């Protein structure tokens, strides 16, 4: 149980275009979803937290107009990288939390490798 | 603010040897502690977690961790390492706001 998927697993896009990454909780309802960014050989950096039906809360230094997050349902959150640039190339990982007694545990997706050329 | 320190960036052990990965945290209240493992190009897999109760926690793949409040530590151990354990290991602390703070990670390499 508690499986989280991400799509696509890899994407290559040209500079200036936008890319959407989907994060789905497959067998549970996720009241909260998180988006992380991971640079090579580095730890995970939290970008934003989103609750279903609410606006995402962005961490300091993360451009909300560049990284658009939508959490339209209890099983789906999307991250759209707008007007992507090579410096946006990274590994993006989402996680989902069920809430309630399990709210302290996050279930992670397999990640999406974004390369901007 | 909460923080997590993993003092060892890289660790190399021989297959069959014991392993201990260190994790120290800073958090004002009772911490919720996690260990995750990440294989190259993959997401994170939960190894074990501590919320309350017994301070020695058993996880998957033969791993265990011990919560020591007096030392603010949550070290991960395994009595006999397998080559398939080579990966990146992350310690994390969670708060009541459901947010995780990760340590910098420890890369484990296993010698045959």
């Amino acid at each position: 149980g508690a499986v989280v998927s991400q799509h696509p697993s890899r994407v290559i896009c040209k500079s200036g275009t936008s890319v959407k990454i989907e994060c789905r909780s497959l067998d549970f309802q996720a009241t909260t979803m998180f988006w992380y960014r991971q640079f090579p050989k580095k730890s995970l950096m939290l970008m934003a937290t989103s609750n279903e039906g609410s606006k995402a809360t962005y961490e300091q230094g993360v451009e909300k107009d560049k990284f658009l997050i939508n959490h339209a349902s209890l099983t789906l959150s999307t991250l759209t990288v707008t007007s992507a640039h090579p410096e946006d190339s990274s590994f993006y990982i989402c996680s989902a939390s069920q809430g309630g007694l399990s709210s302290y545990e996050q279930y992670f997706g397999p990640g999406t490798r974004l390369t901007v050329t | 603010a909460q923080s997590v320190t993993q003092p060892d960036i890289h660790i190399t052990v021989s297959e069959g040897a014991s392993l201990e990965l260190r994790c120290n945290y800073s958090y004002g209240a009772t911490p919720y502690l996690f260990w995750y493992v990440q294989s190259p190009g993959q997401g994170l897999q939960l190894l074990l977690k501590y919320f309350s109760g017994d301070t020695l926690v058993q996880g998957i793949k033969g791993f265990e961790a011990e919560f020591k409040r007096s030392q603010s530590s949550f070290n991960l151990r395994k009595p006999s390492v397998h080559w398939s354990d080579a990966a990146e290991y992350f310690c994390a602390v969670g708060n009541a706001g459901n947010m995780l703070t990760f340590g910098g990670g420890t890369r484990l390499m296993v010698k045959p």
Side-chain angles (χ1 to χ4, degrees):
Chain A
V3 178
V4 176
S5 70
Q6 276 184 248
H7 178 79
S9 58
R10 289 178 176 271
V11 57
I12 300 173
C13 71
K14 292 187 176 181
S15 188
T17 62
S18 295
V19 174
K20 180 185 286 188
I21 302 170
E22 291 186 349
C23 176
R24 294 182 184 272
S25 57
L26 299 184
D27 50 3
F28 66 99
Q29 293 187 325
T31 56
T32 306
M33 286 186 166
F34 305 83
W35 286 96
Y36 296 85
R37 183 173 180 176
Q38 186 179 30
F39 292 99
K41 301 186 189 300
K42 298 292 186 183
S43 187
L44 280 73
M45 180 190 76
L46 180 65
M47 298 174 66
T49 303
S50 72
N51 292 294
E52 185 266 337
S54 303
K55 287 185 178 180
T57 301
Y58 290 81
E59 294 300 297
Q60 192 172 7
V62 178
E63 298 175 60
K64 61 182 66 177
D65 294 330
K66 180 167 190 59
F67 298 100
L68 302 179
I69 291 172
N70 183 280
H71 192 166
S73 77
L74 285 171
T75 59
L76 173 64
S77 176
T78 60
L79 167 68
T80 301
V81 182
T82 63
S83 187
H85 290 281
E87 57 265 31
D88 299 325
S89 298
S90 193
F91 194 56
Y92 293 88
I93 302 176
C94 74
S95 70
S97 173
Q98 292 179 307
L101 292 177
S102 301
S103 64
Y104 299 108
E105 186 164 351
Q106 295 180 24
Y107 303 95
F108 286 81
T112 296
R113 171 78 57 197
L114 170 64
T115 303
V116 184
T117 60
Chain B
Q2 59 199 52
S3 66
V4 180
T5 301
Q6 293 179 244
D8 305 303
I9 298 175
H10 294 99
I11 282 187
T12 301
V13 299
S14 297
E15 190 168 17
S18 63
L19 171 70
E20 182 169 32
L21 302 183
R22 296 185 289 164
C23 172
N24 294 97
Y25 68 90
S26 174
Y27 185 60
T30 300
Y32 301 93
L33 296 161
F34 306 82
W35 273 100
Y36 290 90
V37 61
Q38 183 182 35
S39 297
Q42 302 295 314
L44 274 67
Q45 181 182 24
L46 179 67
L47 287 175
L48 47 78
K49 61 191 177 189
Y50 171 79
F51 287 177
S52 65
D54 193 346
T55 56
L56 183 62
V57 180
Q58 301 297 320
I60 63 171
K61 304 184 179 186
F63 286 94
E64 67 176 26
E66 186 170 12
F67 170 56
K68 293 185 177 179
R69 184 186 298 276
S70 62
Q71 298 178 19
S72 297
S73 70
F74 188 56
N75 295 348
L76 181 72
R77 300 193 294 252
K78 186 169 184 177
S80 178
V81 170
H82 188 262
W83 64 266
S84 60
D85 294 324
E88 187 88 20
Y89 291 80
F90 292 99
C91 180
V93 61
N95 65 12
N98 199 23
M99 294 182 50
L100 287 180
T101 299
F102 285 87
T106 297
R107 179 166 298 277
L108 172 66
M109 290 172 280
V110 180
K111 292 190 299 185

